[in-house]
Amino acid sequence: MAKKPTDTELRARVKLFGNLLGNVLHAQAGGRVLKAVEMLRQGYIDLRLTNNPRKRTQLARLIGALDPDTLTHVVRAFSTYFSLVNIAEEAFQHRQRRHQVHKGGPLWLGSFDHTLRLFHAQGVSAGQLQTLLDRLAYIPVITAHPTESKRQTIMEALRRIFITSERLNDSTLSRNEQAEIIKTLEGQIQILWKTDEVRTSRRQVRDEIKNGVLYFHECLFQAVPITYRYLEKAIANTYSETMPDGQTISVPSFLRFGSWIGGDRDGNPNVKPETTVLALRLKAQAVVLEYLKRVMSLSRILTHSSRLCQPSQALLDSLNVCGTFATKAFSENLDRFRHEPYRRKLYIMRHRLECNLRTLRKRLDNHPEPLIEGGYTTAAELLADLYLIHASLCSHGDRVIAEGELKDLIRLVETFGFFLLCMDLRQESSRHSTAVAELFVQSTAGRVDYLALSESERMRLLTDSLMSGDCISLQRQALSTQTQETLEVFDAMAVMSEETSAQAFGSYVISMTHTASHVMEVMLLACQAGLAGQRGLDASGSKNWFCDIRIAPLFETIDDLARIEGVLGALLDNPVYAALLKASGNLQEVMLGYSDSCKDGGILASAWMLYQAQKKITVLTDARGIECRLFHGRGGTIGRGGGPTHESIVAQPQGTVHGQIKFTEQGEMVSYKYSNTETAVYELSVGVTGLLKASRGLIEPPVKDNPDYLRVMDELAKIGEQTYRDLINKPGFLDYFYEATPINEIGQLNIGSRPSHRNKTDRSLSSVRAIAWVFGWSQSRHTLPAWYGIGTALESWCADDPKRLTTLQAMYNAWPFFRALLSNTQMALFKADMEIARQYAELCGDSTTAQAMYGLIKEEYQRTLTQVLKVARAQTLIEDNPPLALSLSRRNPYLDPLNAIQVTLLDRYRKETPEELERNNWLDPLLRSINAIAAGMRNTG
């Protein structure tokens, strides 16, 4: 049995990577760079052990004396080191999990094994588990939010280093073999060193599309079938012995993936209707290529001879009716594989998939021709062929073979169809209001000023228009360019649903949904494209409604969350909308925004309003017999709703998760979760088990929240929100943000196709995007959005009353929501550093205001630290998670010099100098420092 990996092994691997990087620096970057790196590294390690103002000043002078080129390489060295540490830690976590598997017994929290053992011990029957599985829908949505700071080329280089370093874990290696692997690693690190980590141009949407697809080729096409296998194995291990003979638990394909890339046009002028079409075709091409590869692999495996086994009659019949396909598939030899029926069938399937691929390539070349004869018209046809093969193999005793690579391919087709990712579209509500207003101007000869109407008048007009069942007669060329484009988006949806798949689109998300009419406007625009409406009368004489679009209102500000009941109630009680919703499947998706609500009202108010909103939405939909799916717009960092996947899902309000969950995977989190297969399997597993636990309300009455806890949380949220608003509304606070963080410089980093501001010239809180807001505070080590206001709220509510403190401690122990909130707060506090934040504060032009702002922030930081530790009964931050604490501690001495370098570079870059060229010399190392700090903190926005 393999011995348990220890932290000593992890430190040895980190040391090896550090030494190899040192060798590369010595050979490739010159002695000056290596000397500077070592002096800074050791100097800041010493400062972490003992604060020495004199030494800090000496290190600052060292940084100040370095020229731009040397500083660039110093920053790159630290950045490369962090990337290598991340590899070492990820590989170490893999080995720890593998050791637990080999050891036997219960596995880690969130594993399938641990969760199912827990269910079984708590009396969850096989039938109840089947009920849960049948209702599951786990839907990560890959977005194009610009927070992935690493280039794809860098990620590929890191992946190669990861794979090579794993070979060192083979205990049977000889010394010579080890030395060869280490030599290979050094070469790969040298390549990494010579690969530019900063993009020379801003990413285009097409680049983002290709990047999103690459994760499936590199990882997810392998991870998805493995995830299902692990779940099936855990079910068999836990439940098989206690089930009656003949009873089985089947695992449906409940994983789905969504994407906003190519569909998110809110604030991104680069996403056009043709961009959406391109994205859908590129994704379809990617998945067909994968199916082709796997079908060919199966044709080399399923070499059964009909002389040695008896395939099912259904399979043989299918070969007989495939005459036309066979003629083309075997044009050179019509009798090929005559006695190998599975190979013959698979070659015919390959031919048909090649027809699909050729069609897609022509369409990508802007030749929108119909499907080439022979191609699969739907993924269901491909699945039917795969099911046929599976059943036939089982019929002659080859179930073990049928459950191998063939079952994996079936899982992929069930999951990805011919669309790969369900495309969500998103646009801001005012765009639809403007478009509808123009439509009514044309249709009523200018007699209706739609934008001047009240909400009730708008709803009446929209309802009547939809009820009439007639499209508004339009002269599109007379409409504004913006409205024409808005209508073309719906046209593209109609065309691509027909061309690709009815499942190609997920939801049409309306950001800044303030009223019910904002949803009805989108429904009216969808009707113009034939996506919804009436098809005469049904047999009973009632209107025969159809609806091929799912509309998801997005509630993202504190005010929007507060009025969610009124908006949703008015919408769901509208008879026309209710009829259209029923025609589309009677599922209402509602999206909740974490980033903007946090930026708007602070972390406490945001978390609590979101918690309450979920309960209100569920009550509304349950009362009307409507199925509800909540779509969580979460980011990677705490200030954007991030946190450990399993704990975040379990912390949802009891009774609000009905087997389905949809959430955004933003920016850097995509590469952290889905760059390596085993990591992806782990992330999918802990997410699915969190969903199973959160959905227990489907099989038993949900546990009601403690009303005392709810009252306490309500009071805490009010205090926290007021504290946060007092800060952001202070004169000079926004100047502090823009000057004490690298927010403006982040806008120059080519990490996404979306701008960091809605309006470049507007220096207001509403203009800066929530993602950039969190990114800036993170870089300057304030991490303010994730914790500000919590300390005051806890301290004020407790008021030195021991009984009240005991109440908070009980809430922390018993209430998953409150525990997750404060656990995430601890992580954010750990990543903050007020001494480094002070250095950024010194960049501000008005030193008096800056000192005042910094003082308030530092006081609240200390207050939050003290109060959170009291409530958690802890001596130090995240002491209940030693591996995480060690990982973050390991990074700090290397982050410190990077922050010091960034402060120096910001100061130089922002100074007005006669020579613009001299100023720009500092920009390159400055942008690289943003990448490096992001890598060290393992998050950006």
Side-chain angles (χ1 to χ4, degrees), residues 236-243:
N237 289 343
T238 308
Y239 277 87
S240 59
E241 292 184 2
T242 59
M243 285 192 296

Side-chain angles (χ1 to χ4, degrees), residues 162-170 173 177 180-181 184:
F162 176 90
I163 292 170
T164 303
S165 66
E166 282 291 87
R167 292 166 55 198
L168 288 173
N169 300 322
D170 184 350
L173 290 174
E177 288 170 326
E180 281 299 313
I181 293 171
T184 301

Side-chain angles (χ1 to χ4, degrees), residues 311-321 345 388-389 391-392:
S312 69
Q313 190 59 47
L315 180 79
L316 297 175
D317 289 345
S318 77
L319 290 174
N320 292 332
V321 299
K345 180 68 175 178
L388 198 63
I389 297 172
S392 180

Side-chain angles (χ1 to χ4, degrees), residues 42 195 342 400 430 474 476 502 534 848 852:
Q42 191 57 55
T195 302
Y342 295 117
V400 171
S430 65
L474 295 173
R476 286 208 179 183
Q534 304 168 32
T848 302

Side-chain angles (χ1 to χ4, degrees), residues 891-905:
R891 285 166 164 71
N892 277 331
Y894 299 86
L895 277 167
D896 294 352
L898 282 170
N899 282 116
I901 289 169
Q902 190 177 86
V903 168
T904 299
L905 291 169

Side-chain angles (χ1 to χ4, degrees), residues 748-767:
Q748 298 184 63
L749 193 64
N750 297 313
I751 60 174
S753 64
R754 283 176 94 205
S756 61
H757 283 66
R758 290 180 171 86
N759 184 340
K760 287 184 179 180
T761 60
D762 184 0
R763 193 166 167 171
S764 67
L765 188 62
S766 60
S767 175

